[in-house]
PDB file of all heavy atoms in Angstrom:
ATOM      1  N   SER P 318      -6.972 -10.867 -11.120  1.00  0.00           N
ATOM      2  CA  SER P 318      -7.882 -11.640 -10.274  1.00  0.00           C
ATOM      3  C   SER P 318      -7.735 -13.118 -10.595  1.00  0.00           C
ATOM      4  O   SER P 318      -7.063 -13.499 -11.566  1.00  0.00           O
ATOM      5  CB  SER P 318      -9.328 -11.215 -10.529  1.00  0.00           C
ATOM      6  OG  SER P 318      -9.691 -11.559 -11.855  1.00  0.00           O
ATOM      7  N   GLY P 319      -8.423 -13.938  -9.815  1.00  0.00           N
ATOM      8  CA  GLY P 319      -8.353 -15.383 -10.020  1.00  0.00           C
ATOM      9  C   GLY P 319      -9.034 -15.829 -11.301  1.00  0.00           C
ATOM     10  O   GLY P 319      -8.506 -16.656 -12.053  1.00  0.00           O
ATOM     11  N   THR P 320     -10.196 -15.278 -11.541  1.00  0.00           N
ATOM     12  CA  THR P 320     -10.922 -15.686 -12.747  1.00  0.00           C
ATOM     13  C   THR P 320     -10.133 -15.318 -13.997  1.00  0.00           C
ATOM     14  O   THR P 320     -10.057 -16.074 -14.958  1.00  0.00           O
ATOM     15  CB  THR P 320     -12.354 -15.077 -12.752  1.00  0.00           C
ATOM     16  OG1 THR P 320     -13.152 -15.806 -13.681  1.00  0.00           O
ATOM     17  CG2 THR P 320     -12.375 -13.600 -13.060  1.00  0.00           C
ATOM     18  N   ASN P 323      -7.316 -17.710 -14.581  1.00  0.00           N
ATOM     19  CA  ASN P 323      -7.786 -18.961 -15.192  1.00  0.00           C
ATOM     20  C   ASN P 323      -8.151 -18.778 -16.667  1.00  0.00           C
ATOM     21  O   ASN P 323      -7.904 -19.661 -17.491  1.00  0.00           O
ATOM     22  CB  ASN P 323      -8.976 -19.514 -14.407  1.00  0.00           C
ATOM     23  CG  ASN P 323      -8.532 -20.106 -13.081  1.00  0.00           C
ATOM     24  OD1 ASN P 323      -7.397 -20.580 -12.953  1.00  0.00           O
ATOM     25  ND2 ASN P 323      -9.397 -20.076 -12.087  1.00  0.00           N
ATOM     26  N   PHE P 346     -14.253 -24.859  -8.498  1.00  0.00           N
ATOM     27  CA  PHE P 346     -14.699 -23.482  -8.757  1.00  0.00           C
ATOM     28  C   PHE P 346     -13.537 -22.713  -9.393  1.00  0.00           C
ATOM     29  O   PHE P 346     -12.422 -22.739  -8.885  1.00  0.00           O
ATOM     30  CB  PHE P 346     -15.123 -22.777  -7.448  1.00  0.00           C
ATOM     31  CG  PHE P 346     -15.585 -21.366  -7.673  1.00  0.00           C
ATOM     32  CD1 PHE P 346     -16.892 -21.119  -8.076  1.00  0.00           C
ATOM     33  CD2 PHE P 346     -14.720 -20.291  -7.516  1.00  0.00           C
ATOM     34  CE1 PHE P 346     -17.329 -19.816  -8.307  1.00  0.00           C
ATOM     35  CE2 PHE P 346     -15.144 -18.994  -7.747  1.00  0.00           C
ATOM     36  CZ  PHE P 346     -16.449 -18.754  -8.137  1.00  0.00           C
ATOM     37  N   HIS P 347     -13.827 -22.012 -10.500  1.00  0.00           N
ATOM     38  CA  HIS P 347     -12.736 -21.340 -11.215  1.00  0.00           C
ATOM     39  C   HIS P 347     -12.983 -19.861 -11.506  1.00  0.00           C
ATOM     40  O   HIS P 347     -12.163 -19.233 -12.177  1.00  0.00           O
ATOM     41  CB  HIS P 347     -12.437 -22.096 -12.511  1.00  0.00           C
ATOM     42  CG  HIS P 347     -12.035 -23.525 -12.264  1.00  0.00           C
ATOM     43  ND1 HIS P 347     -10.855 -23.863 -11.636  1.00  0.00           N
ATOM     44  CD2 HIS P 347     -12.682 -24.691 -12.500  1.00  0.00           C
ATOM     45  CE1 HIS P 347     -10.766 -25.180 -11.516  1.00  0.00           C
ATOM     46  NE2 HIS P 347     -11.860 -25.711 -12.026  1.00  0.00           N
ATOM     47  N   GLY P 348     -14.127 -19.308 -11.055  1.00  0.00           N
ATOM     48  CA  GLY P 348     -14.361 -17.894 -11.259  1.00  0.00           C
ATOM     49  C   GLY P 348     -15.646 -17.642 -12.003  1.00  0.00           C
ATOM     50  O   GLY P 348     -16.372 -18.562 -12.380  1.00  0.00           O
ATOM     51  N   GLU P 398      -8.734 -27.416  -9.312  1.00  0.00           N
ATOM     52  CA  GLU P 398      -8.368 -26.926  -7.984  1.00  0.00           C
ATOM     53  C   GLU P 398      -7.788 -28.137  -7.268  1.00  0.00           C
ATOM     54  O   GLU P 398      -8.514 -29.110  -7.029  1.00  0.00           O
ATOM     55  CB  GLU P 398      -9.656 -26.578  -7.220  1.00  0.00           C
ATOM     56  CG  GLU P 398     -10.089 -25.178  -7.146  1.00  0.00           C
ATOM     57  CD  GLU P 398     -11.292 -25.070  -6.177  1.00  0.00           C
ATOM     58  OE1 GLU P 398     -12.390 -25.491  -6.520  1.00  0.00           O
ATOM     59  OE2 GLU P 398     -11.100 -24.560  -5.072  1.00  0.00           O
ATOM     60  N   ASP P 431      -5.296 -24.717 -10.645  1.00  0.00           N
ATOM     61  CA  ASP P 431      -5.863 -23.460 -10.178  1.00  0.00           C
ATOM     62  C   ASP P 431      -5.500 -23.350  -8.701  1.00  0.00           C
ATOM     63  O   ASP P 431      -6.153 -23.941  -7.838  1.00  0.00           O
ATOM     64  CB  ASP P 431      -7.386 -23.481 -10.393  1.00  0.00           C
ATOM     65  CG  ASP P 431      -8.094 -22.289  -9.760  1.00  0.00           C
ATOM     66  OD1 ASP P 431      -7.467 -21.571  -8.959  1.00  0.00           O
ATOM     67  OD2 ASP P 431      -9.291 -22.091 -10.053  1.00  0.00           O
ATOM     68  N   VAL P 433      -5.477 -20.579  -6.948  1.00  0.00           N
ATOM     69  CA  VAL P 433      -5.961 -19.297  -6.436  1.00  0.00           C
ATOM     70  C   VAL P 433      -6.144 -19.369  -4.912  1.00  0.00           C
ATOM     71  O   VAL P 433      -5.868 -18.403  -4.199  1.00  0.00           O
ATOM     72  CB  VAL P 433      -7.270 -18.912  -7.171  1.00  0.00           C
ATOM     73  CG1 VAL P 433      -7.992 -17.774  -6.475  1.00  0.00           C
ATOM     74  CG2 VAL P 433      -6.969 -18.556  -8.627  1.00  0.00           C
ATOM     75  N   GLN P 434      -6.572 -20.526  -4.406  1.00  0.00           N
ATOM     76  CA  GLN P 434      -6.692 -20.668  -2.941  1.00  0.00           C
ATOM     77  C   GLN P 434      -5.504 -21.405  -2.336  1.00  0.00           C
ATOM     78  O   GLN P 434      -5.034 -21.055  -1.266  1.00  0.00           O
ATOM     79  CB  GLN P 434      -7.979 -21.429  -2.595  1.00  0.00           C
ATOM     80  CG  GLN P 434      -9.208 -20.601  -2.862  1.00  0.00           C
ATOM     81  CD  GLN P 434     -10.322 -20.796  -1.850  1.00  0.00           C
ATOM     82  OE1 GLN P 434     -10.138 -21.320  -0.765  1.00  0.00           O
ATOM     83  NE2 GLN P 434     -11.500 -20.337  -2.222  1.00  0.00           N
ATOM     84  N   LYS P 463      -5.827 -14.132  -4.978  1.00  0.00           N
ATOM     85  CA  LYS P 463      -6.126 -14.047  -3.537  1.00  0.00           C
ATOM     86  C   LYS P 463      -4.958 -13.558  -2.672  1.00  0.00           C
ATOM     87  O   LYS P 463      -4.716 -12.379  -2.610  1.00  0.00           O
ATOM     88  CB  LYS P 463      -6.655 -15.390  -3.051  1.00  0.00           C
ATOM     89  CG  LYS P 463      -8.062 -15.693  -3.617  1.00  0.00           C
ATOM     90  CD  LYS P 463      -8.854 -16.539  -2.686  1.00  0.00           C
ATOM     91  CE  LYS P 463     -10.159 -17.022  -3.320  1.00  0.00           C
ATOM     92  NZ  LYS P 463     -11.250 -16.077  -3.181  1.00  0.00           N
TER      93      LYS P 463
HETATM   94  C1  PLP N 854     -10.080 -21.784  -6.678  1.00  0.00           C
HETATM   95  C2  PLP N 854     -10.576 -20.470  -7.184  1.00  0.00           C
HETATM   96  N1  PLP N 854     -10.353 -20.127  -8.454  1.00  0.00           N
HETATM   97  C3  PLP N 854     -10.751 -18.953  -8.956  1.00  0.00           C
HETATM   98  C4  PLP N 854     -11.449 -18.037  -8.173  1.00  0.00           C
HETATM   99  C5  PLP N 854     -11.871 -16.730  -8.741  1.00  0.00           C
HETATM  100  O1  PLP N 854     -11.078 -15.725  -8.210  1.00  0.00           O
HETATM  101  P1  PLP N 854     -11.541 -14.192  -8.265  1.00  0.00           P
HETATM  102  O2  PLP N 854     -12.727 -14.065  -7.365  1.00  0.00           O
HETATM  103  O3  PLP N 854     -10.344 -13.422  -7.810  1.00  0.00           O
HETATM  104  O4  PLP N 854     -11.897 -13.914  -9.686  1.00  0.00           O
HETATM  105  C6  PLP N 854     -11.712 -18.350  -6.837  1.00  0.00           C
HETATM  106  C7  PLP N 854     -12.456 -17.402  -5.976  1.00  0.00           C
HETATM  107  O5  PLP N 854     -12.983 -17.709  -4.948  1.00  0.00           O
HETATM  108  C8  PLP N 854     -11.257 -19.599  -6.329  1.00  0.00           C
HETATM  109  O6  PLP N 854     -11.491 -19.938  -5.059  1.00  0.00           O
END
Side-chain angles (χ1 to χ4, degrees):
S318 65
T320 198
N323 287 332
F346 180 83
H347 301 293
E398 261 187 287
D431 172 347
V433 167
Q434 289 217 16
K463 291 210 189 274

